[in-house]
Amino acid sequence: MSNATSKKDKKNKGHTEESEKSFQHNLDNLNNMLKRFEKISEVSPTFCTAKWLQSTVYLHTGLTHSCHHPPAHKIPLDEIENSPAALHNTKYKKEQRQKMLEGERPNECHYCWNIEDLPSENMSDRMFKSTNTQWSFQHLEKIKSAGSKSDLNPTYLEVAFDNTCNFKCMYCSPDISTTWMDEILQNGPYPTSVKTGNLDWLKEQDRLPIRHDQHNPYVEAFWKWWPQLYKDLNTFRITGGEPLLNQNTWKVLEFVNNNPHSEFNLAINTNMGIQSKWITKFCQVSNSIADRINSLDIYTSCEAQGEQAEYIRFGLNYKSFMDNNEYLLSNAYEQNRLHFMITFNALSITSFLSFLADIRKLRRKFKPYKMLDRVSLMVSYLQWPQFQSVLVLPKEIRQSYSAQFLNYAQENSIESGPDGFLYLEEVEQIKRLSQFMLQELDENDLYLRRKDFGLFYQEYDKRKKTNFSKVFPELSEFYGKCLKL
Ligand code: SF4
């Protein structure tokens, strides 16, 4: 046996042992989780800790939901005047909690009931969240004594302070991005069947953001609540808009710097396409708070490469985006992690794998010794607006790319050998995406979505002076057909 072959065999043997250990570890975790879920079920068969402990609060629109699956509801102003904790503990939410304690299924949680009612054994988010040992399960007794009537601070909170954003990504909306809002105020909604960007709908739903020059009672209530909320928080995630362009984000960071909290995990969503002075400032702050909290995670979004990514996320400069990511990984505290959230849509299909190759380079370059990778990715698929879903594309195109993605995931799994870079959950996500891409829509739905596809991108090119067919030559023929519908 040559030296080279024996070295390779040793490396592969080590790899197989590692895989077996990891399999056993996963099995143990699953068994422990099932045991914890038995305790949860003793409270009631529909009980879910997330209704008490996990919350998202949109301070610019005064909406909240627990968890993120049910539709968000309005926070009544008279409730936060009484107590700022009503930003999370609304009367409406307390009614849903009571239903859970009585073993009733709140309708708003249909996302989980649908999964639990499937014929095969499936685990819903209710099970995952309620048994989570980082922010959830250990507070079971506290929830039981609070019941449905008392306020309880969340241990996992996501907050949006406002919608200031320098991007107008094609799948975003005016309530989430000020740049989108400016465009709609200037040019009106898009001429699709659903009137994309329509402000009347937001008005009807009471979802119009509070203007920046107006007093925001929700932000005021947040700062009243914050000092006592902070001590109970395990995870706090700031989203937007673009949080690094909002002064409240910097105020939180300053507070954290002055008030160490060893169990606090901070997460920030950023488009990483802002001026470099903000990224530089963020790295400095991340270094100064590093030993004051448990962890700091940065979440960014992209789902394609180069000018295709720039078309999808309008306002993005792909090179600056990747440079900023590198800068962050080189200059922020070395335990900070960077997560890429991929919202796969019809226009990601042609450069998705090239984008994964760029992530692979970053992951390799910044892999710390004996520590989890600092760069991770999460693949989900876009469902809204429906005409931007990958399912609008012709079957032949979807089939061909679906097969390529499946091969890529298998060939690049860490299970495939020492050169693999995709973790099992990432492989699973890509596999799920490949399967989803093969789903068929009914003819009427497909017709409407394709018509909207043509109408939307024709107007998009007109408003933004872009050129769909030039940026996506592989989809140009399909686009031409949509325009004729
Ligand atoms: S039951 Fe499901 S949808 Fe409802 S709060 Fe729990 S995890 Fe969320």
Side-chain angles (χ1 to χ4, degrees):
M1 192 187 286
S2 73
N3 261 353
T5 317
S6 109
K7 258 193 206 159
K8 200 173 165 200
D9 281 352
K10 266 192 204 157
K11 213 172 175 184
N12 282 337
K13 187 168 172 256
H15 181 73
T16 313
E17 280 167 8
E18 238 175 64
S19 304
E20 278 167 11
K21 264 194 218 152
S22 123
F23 177 75
Q24 189 54 46
H25 181 69
N26 287 341
L27 197 65
D28 292 347
N29 279 346
L30 180 65
N31 285 333
N32 289 333
M33 181 183 147
L34 291 174
K35 274 187 204 144
R36 290 195 295 277
F37 192 64
E38 278 170 22
K39 291 265 172 226
I40 294 294
S41 306
E42 282 170 15
V43 181
S44 103
T46 60
F47 177 66
C48 175
T49 59
K51 199 62 86 196
W52 281 257
L53 299 176
Q54 190 176 44
S55 187
T56 307
V57 183
Y58 307 92
L59 296 165
H60 58 303
T61 50
L63 296 163
T64 181
H65 46 175
S66 287
C67 64
H68 61 288
H69 293 309
H73 61 277
K74 198 80 184 179
I75 305 166
L77 282 174
D78 59 334
E79 291 187 29
I80 52 168
E81 267 162 30
N82 265 345
S83 160
L87 283 174
H88 163 54
N89 298 281
T90 57
K91 281 195 183 128
Y92 170 81
K93 233 182 253 185
K94 287 176 176 175
E95 283 164 17
Q96 310 314 306
R97 292 173 185 169
Q98 181 59 28
K99 286 183 190 166
M100 283 188 163
L101 291 174
E102 288 171 2
E104 204 184 308
R105 287 178 162 190
N107 284 338
E108 64 165 15
C109 294
H110 57 80
Y111 181 89
C112 282
W113 316 135
N114 288 344
I115 292 176
E116 291 177 26
D117 289 344
L118 288 173
S120 51
E121 295 264 313
N122 285 288
M123 292 208 254
S124 65
D125 263 13
R126 181 172 78 92
M127 297 167 167
F128 285 114
K129 287 176 193 285
S130 297
T131 55
N132 175 295
T133 49
Q134 200 186 333
W135 56 268
S136 167
F137 183 73
Q138 63 272 44
H139 302 291
L140 182 57
E141 291 308 316
K142 205 155 82 177
I143 298 178
K144 283 190 333 205
S145 29
S148 66
K149 298 213 165 40
S150 311
D151 289 349
L152 203 66
N153 282 344
T155 50
Y156 189 117
L157 176 66
E158 180 163 346
V159 153
F161 286 110
D162 83 346
N163 62 337
T164 302
C165 187
N166 53 330
F167 281 14
K168 42 182 167 179
C169 304
M170 65 180 198
Y171 43 66
C172 194
S173 58
D175 52 327
I176 301 178
S177 156
T178 41
T179 322
W180 245 100
M181 178 64 94
D182 291 345
E183 183 188 312
I184 296 297
L185 287 173
Q186 204 182 329
N187 301 305
Y190 279 73
T192 55
S193 63
V194 288
K195 299 269 172 289
T196 307
N198 187 358
L199 296 182
D200 293 339
W201 182 83
L202 286 176
K203 236 179 262 169
E204 261 167 43
Q205 302 288 316
D206 208 0
R207 283 170 178 246
L208 268 185
I210 295 171
R211 285 206 332 254
H212 291 179
D213 55 358
Q214 284 180 335
H215 170 66
N216 185 327
Y218 299 102
V219 173
E220 188 187 331
F222 172 83
W223 284 112
K224 275 191 199 148
W225 188 31
W226 174 250
Q228 56 119 343
L229 165 69
Y230 178 61
K231 61 183 170 39
D232 286 338
L233 280 175
N234 171 278
T235 304
F236 182 59
R237 185 159 168 169
I238 310 179
T239 180
E242 169 47 52
L244 296 186
L245 295 179
N246 184 285
Q247 49 153 341
N248 288 290
T249 304
W250 298 100
K251 204 169 151 184
V252 167
L253 291 166
E254 196 185 331
F255 183 94
V256 169
N257 197 17
N258 295 330
N259 297 274
H261 179 343
S262 60
E263 284 166 31
F264 187 68
N265 300 291
L266 180 61
I268 296 189
N269 289 1
T270 164
N271 63 32
M272 290 301 273
I274 42 178
Q275 285 176 313
S276 52
K277 65 174 182 185
W278 297 115
I279 313 278
T280 308
K281 185 175 171 189
F282 181 70
C283 289
Q284 285 161 357
V285 175
S286 98
N287 284 312
S288 67
I289 63 173
D291 58 356
R292 288 164 158 70
I293 59 174
N294 188 43
S295 71
L296 171 57
D297 283 55
I298 298 100
Y299 290 81
T300 192
S301 301
C302 196
E303 45 280 311
Q305 193 205 41
E307 63 172 347
Q308 300 195 345
E310 290 169 1
Y311 188 97
I312 296 170
R313 293 179 64 73
F314 192 83
L316 172 93
N317 175 311
Y318 188 78
K319 184 175 177 314
S320 313
F321 170 70
M322 290 314 272
D323 287 349
N324 282 341
N325 288 322
E326 278 220 37
Y327 180 87
L328 181 104
L329 288 162
S330 310
N331 292 285
Y333 180 57
E334 67 163 7
Q335 303 233 9
N336 295 162
R337 296 185 72 203
L338 175 64
H339 310 267
F340 287 91
M341 297 184 289
I342 298 173
T343 310
F344 190 93
N345 59 74
L347 306 192
S348 314
I349 200 163
T350 44
S351 64
F352 174 58
L353 293 186
S354 312
F355 179 54
L356 290 190
D358 284 347
I359 295 184
R360 178 194 180 123
K361 278 186 219 149
L362 271 187
R363 187 173 264 183
R364 287 271 183 259
K365 186 165 175 185
F366 294 97
K367 188 173 172 61
Y369 179 66
K370 281 197 178 171
M371 210 184 90
L372 269 179
D373 274 300
R374 289 185 71 196
V375 178
S376 86
L377 60 109
M378 292 153 198
V379 187
S380 62
Y381 43 82
L382 176 142
Q383 307 210 50
W384 299 95
Q386 290 185 320
F387 61 85
Q388 293 178 12
S389 159
V390 65
L391 299 182
V392 299
L393 296 179
K395 195 174 177 179
E396 321 78 71
I397 296 185
R398 285 183 286 125
Q399 277 177 336
S400 150
Y401 281 100
S402 165
Q404 287 180 42
F405 296 170
L406 210 53
N407 279 343
Y408 184 90
Q410 271 151 3
E411 282 169 9
N412 289 284
S413 150
I414 51 161
E415 297 269 286
S416 68
D419 291 332
F421 80 105
L422 292 171
Y423 286 96
L424 291 187
E425 74 252 29
E426 296 166 344
V427 170
E428 278 309 309
Q429 288 165 12
I430 298 173
K431 278 187 187 165
R432 265 208 303 270
L433 170 68
S434 315
Q435 280 162 7
F436 172 75
M437 285 166 67
L438 299 176
Q439 281 185 18
E440 293 299 334
L441 297 171
D442 86 58
E443 258 178 51
N444 281 344
D445 188 12
L446 190 59
Y447 173 83
L448 280 177
R449 290 195 198 199
R450 286 183 172 169
K451 193 168 166 58
D452 277 346
F453 188 95
L455 290 168
F456 180 81
Y457 291 112
Q458 190 177 41
E459 182 69 15
Y460 195 84
D461 279 355
K462 204 163 96 190
R463 292 185 184 188
K464 298 181 169 68
K465 306 208 176 353
T466 45
N467 186 332
F468 184 98
S469 297
K470 196 162 158 266
V471 180
F472 301 96
E474 309 89 335
L475 304 178
S476 161
E477 192 187 332
F478 165 72
Y479 174 52
K481 285 183 185 161
C482 292
L483 286 176
K484 288 191 190 131
L485 292 174

